[in-house]
Structures are given as C-alpha cells and as structure tokens.
Amino acid sequence: RIIDDAVETNPNDQYEGDLWGLYLAIEQFDGRALRSRSLPDGNVYNMHFAQSNLLNEGIGQATDKSDLNEFVSRSGYNMTPTQPVEWWRDNVNLDWYYSYRAVWEAVNHSDQRDQENSHYYHNPRTGQWSIHPWDVDLLYEEFDRWGPNAVQSKTPFEQFRKCLNHPELMVEFQNRVRELQDL
C-alpha cells in the first residue's frame, strides 16, 4: 500500500483510494469464463433490476428465459414454504452456494437482493443453478443496505438462501464457513 497524499482518500468519492472492492478479482461471468473453468456451455444470466440479460446462450439451451423463469418462480426457489431438501440438492449447486455465501458474509456484501447484482448459471449437465458475483461495490458496510433489516430499502435478499431454512443444509453451510475460517 502506497500513501502519497496527506489525505489518503476522499470520503465523498468511492473510486478514490486503494480499496475498490472485488472488482480486480472477478471477471465478467460469460462464455469465456465458463470455458476457462471447464464448465459446460450453459445459460448465464445477468440479474439486474429483475431484467435479466442472457450473457451466454448454451447450445441446445432455452433461448426464451423459460429455464430462468421456472427456477425463480413460485414453483421454483421462491416457493413458500421453501422447497424440500431434495429439490435444493437437485436444482442448486449447494457446495458452490455455501462458498459464495460464506465469502459474501465475510466481506458484508450489502447489495445482494433477489434477482439483483449477480449472475445465475444453469449447468446443462447437472441441471443445477449457481449464483456468481457481479456489482460488488458495496462491501464492508457496517449495516444492511437491503433486506428485512435494511437502512435504505426493505427488499428480499437473494432467494438461494432459502435452502438454509433446512437444518441439515444449514449445518453443511456452517461446516463450509468453518473450513474458510480455518484458512
């Protein structure tokens, strides 16, 4: 870290200074990202203001967002009460989600809303969905900007978290958190 001014950062300018969140550590999650990770050519959606963009259209995959619409619907992850454990195991890459969520909690990513500021990937081989970071400028805040206890606006958090309503999945998540704490 190099300090070259009397005042290192301007508190009114989020772009001045050394900490730019995770911008330098993540990439656009599209077809190139899938190939670089040897992931199958599946659909990738940018979730923003509930208007999803298709960033990568997998060969032979839905072209009309029907896969996404089914997943996020009241018969998908938004079902109330939540889907049974088997549904979560069949439809969500839980190991990935546990890691994603643990890091999100560690950096207090306070801008995670339902179908907002993330990418959703539909793996055509497994049929499972995963959530990936995007728009990570609101990190390390001391409060919840969004969500049920929000200071800015009360909105639903990302809905993958509903899997954690099941005690056995919560234990798996907590075990992953402990693994990361042990690093």
Side-chain angles (χ1 to χ4, degrees):
R1 183 166 194 155
I2 299 170
I3 300 172
D4 53 7
D5 290 321
V7 176
E8 188 176 352
T9 61
N10 177 347
N12 299 316
D13 183 355
Q14 70 175 344
Y15 302 106
E16 186 178 329
D18 293 339
L19 180 62
W20 283 31
L22 297 177
Y23 281 116
L24 300 176
I26 65 172
E27 64 184 320
Q28 178 74 302
F29 197 73
D30 56 14
R32 284 184 310 206
L34 295 177
R35 287 187 296 280
S36 73
R37 290 165 178 77
S38 300
L39 289 169
D41 186 26
N43 285 349
V44 175
Y45 297 94
N46 173 265
M47 307 302 288
H48 191 56
F49 297 117
Q51 300 295 317
S52 58
N53 305 353
L54 188 59
L55 296 179
N56 186 72
E57 182 181 316
I59 296 172
Q61 301 302 300
T63 60
D64 60 358
K65 299 187 203 175
S66 58
D67 58 341
L68 175 66
N69 292 334
E70 181 180 338
F71 179 66
V72 301
S73 72
R74 291 281 173 215
S75 61
Y77 77 7
N78 268 316
M79 184 174 152
T80 302
T82 188
Q83 293 282 9
V85 169
E86 297 76 27
W87 186 91
W88 290 103
R89 291 197 191 283
D90 290 344
N91 290 282
V92 173
N93 181 339
L94 291 173
D95 288 337
W96 173 264
Y97 179 68
Y98 299 153
S99 296
Y100 174 88
R101 178 64 185 262
V103 171
W104 164 39
E105 294 285 349
V107 299
N108 191 24
H109 183 9
S110 65
D111 202 10
Q112 279 285 265
R113 292 165 276 162
D114 186 27
Q115 301 177 47
E116 281 288 329
N117 296 336
S118 59
H119 293 139
Y120 288 7
Y121 166 60
H122 191 199
N123 185 318
R125 287 192 194 139
T126 65
Q128 293 179 324
W129 288 86
S130 53
I131 185 171
H132 299 264
W134 181 72
D135 191 1
V136 291
D137 61 329
L138 296 175
L139 304 178
Y140 307 108
E141 293 188 303
E142 70 277 8
F143 52 81
D144 289 331
R145 183 174 296 275
W146 310 102
N149 300 315
V151 296
Q152 183 168 337
S153 186
K154 294 187 184 321
T155 59
F157 281 132
E158 56 82 13
Q159 298 298 295
F160 283 77
R161 70 175 169 71
K162 287 184 174 181
C163 69
L164 302 177
N165 291 336
H166 295 287
E168 69 185 85
L169 299 181
M170 177 58 94
V171 167
E172 291 174 10
F173 167 64
Q174 290 169 331
N175 287 339
R176 180 62 180 141
V177 170
R178 279 189 280 283
E179 289 173 13
L180 293 174
Q181 286 176 328
D182 288 345
L183 291 179

